Amino acid sequence: MILKDCPVRVPVRLTSVPLPRQNVLRMQEIGIRVGAEAVIIQKAAFGGLIVNIAGSRIAVDHKWAKKIEAQIVDQSNKADQKDSISGNQWEVK
């Protein structure tokens, strides 16, 4: 689904970021790249978005919000991963 249609406050993973060649490096520096996890914080009146990526708030205009594709991150899978990491695995014997 396109980023513009993603729900607010739901974690998504960017799957396609079709950027012009001259903008690729800058967008990757600020975190907009394939595989990045993001949360849409706010939707603006004219189609723009405020997105939280790696703790940074980034404004995405409506033009790019219609081009960037994302998928919703499965939260149940993350909970299972956290449970498998927790415990006394660091205990010295």
Side-chain angles (χ1 to χ4, degrees):
M1 89 176 49
I2 60 174
L3 191 61
K4 179 180 172 278
D5 294 338
C6 292
V8 177
R9 306 272 183 215
V10 175
V12 296
R13 180 170 292 115
L14 304 181
T15 57
S16 174
V17 185
L19 296 171
R21 190 172 186 88
Q22 67 267 21
N23 298 81
V24 171
L25 181 60
R26 178 65 184 136
M27 293 299 113
Q28 288 179 347
E29 287 175 341
I30 63 174
I32 299 176
R33 60 179 160 263
V34 173
E37 288 193 20
V39 176
I40 297 173
I41 298 172
Q42 181 180 0
K43 292 187 177 188
F46 296 103
L49 305 170
I50 305 295
V51 181
N52 183 340
I53 298 178
S56 297
R57 292 169 46 114
I58 299 168
V60 178
D61 68 355
H62 72 283
K63 179 177 138 183
W64 290 109
K66 291 191 295 185
K67 293 182 179 181
I68 298 173
E69 294 182 12
Q71 67 182 32
I72 295 175
V73 175
D74 184 16
Q75 291 297 315
S76 62
N77 190 18
K78 282 192 157 203
D80 292 342
Q81 289 175 354
K82 285 182 183 178
D83 290 342
S84 65
I85 294 172
S86 63
N88 293 328
Q89 65 184 9
W90 300 106
E91 184 178 319
V92 177
K93 294 181 181 182

